[in-house]
Amino acid sequence: MTFWLITMALALGSCALLALALWRGHLGARPAAEFDLRVYRDQLSEVERDIERGVIKGDDAERVLTEISRRILTADKALQDESVDVRSPKAARFVAIGALAAVLIGGSFALYRDLGAPGYGDLALSTRIEAAADARASRPDQATAEASLPPFVIAPDTPETYAELIVKLREAVEKRPDDLQGATLLATHEMRLGNAVAAHAAQADVIRLKGATVNAEDYATYADMLIIAAGGYVSPEAEGALARVLRFDPKNGVARYYSGLMMLQVGRPDVAFRAWAQLLQDSGGDEGWVVPIREQIEDLAFRAGVKYELPPAKDTSLTGPNVEDIENAETMSDEERTEMIRGMVDRLSDRLATTGGSAEEWARLIGALGVLGEADQAALIWQNAKDVFGDRPNDLAIVRGAARKLGITQ
């Protein structure tokens, strides 16, 4: 309330000063005819002195005196006819003052409503960074976040037989706590059932049982389950899982997206913007995080104080031939089939070379080259893929599977 009182007083004070200037106008200003009359009288005095000194004589003196006297009479008449108050009519002044008040007061508050933050304290950048650090350190843990949400209720349309299988799977895992396959299946099916709390508990067992063989995907799945169980909130436990993902795979999209979300939640839109902008640039266009980033990043850039123009969405229609495409091509002639696949391969190859793509698209390209009988070209693509995905073992494994089918992994 203090802020609004001060700003209202300042706005009213500024408006009052400008309104006073408009109302007074040229009050006190003298008419032009008065200055003309003063000049002509001075001229008349000068001419009279010249006549006394004999500078002007005879007819010339009379003619000059007559002309100056005529001008004095004209100026005096104009002075009598002209009003001293040269201000605009009162109605016009009222209109001008009303318009000034509307623009100055109304416009100022409208501008602040759009660009300002009503009710938010004026904080220095260093203070906001400290507040964000405190918020990050003191935010609720996973258990608190889960407790604040409604308890899990199985969906009414869930098949009864499926629910019974889940119950049996839980009992089997409880009896065999060291069964990795059982824990993996339980985590997967609990998540499908919508029970994210039970799912992340099972995934934690998966990570424990895998030991030294645990990978980035395992921790990414665990972090995803934690965040879903907390209603989209990135808890300290989820942050720890994301940190482990990034240690395995610094380019992991899931971890980078959720890390940006966490920074947004603790009051660091600047850090969140940088993370999401880079992730959006590195993404192919069809990843799960692309749509939510594109929906929020412009507002995020505004909050971060960054002038940002959202790039056009990447074309994901040229994903190359899949199994269905190739099967449909079997109804064509050999020449038509080869030409169709060749066109798809060329488009996909060009896009991967210029804008990059997912591991699945690289694998699809290798498979399509195998269909065309171009194993040597497929081998070159495989060698290139090893450079591209060398620091992402999960993605590299996808491409390796396609290369292994063609026998070009050596």
Side-chain angles (χ1 to χ4, degrees), residues 46-66:
E46 290 288 338
V47 170
E48 289 176 348
R49 285 195 292 271
D50 289 341
I51 292 175
E52 291 177 357
R53 293 196 303 268
V55 176
I56 303 177
K57 300 179 180 179
D59 294 340
D60 290 336
E62 184 177 354
R63 186 172 59 256
V64 171
L65 290 172
T66 302

Side-chain angles (χ1 to χ4, degrees), residues 140-150 226-227 229-231 233-237:
D141 59 11
Q142 183 72 25
T144 303
E146 292 175 3
S148 67
L149 299 174
L226 286 170
I227 294 168
Y233 164 68
V234 185
S235 66
E237 291 84 349

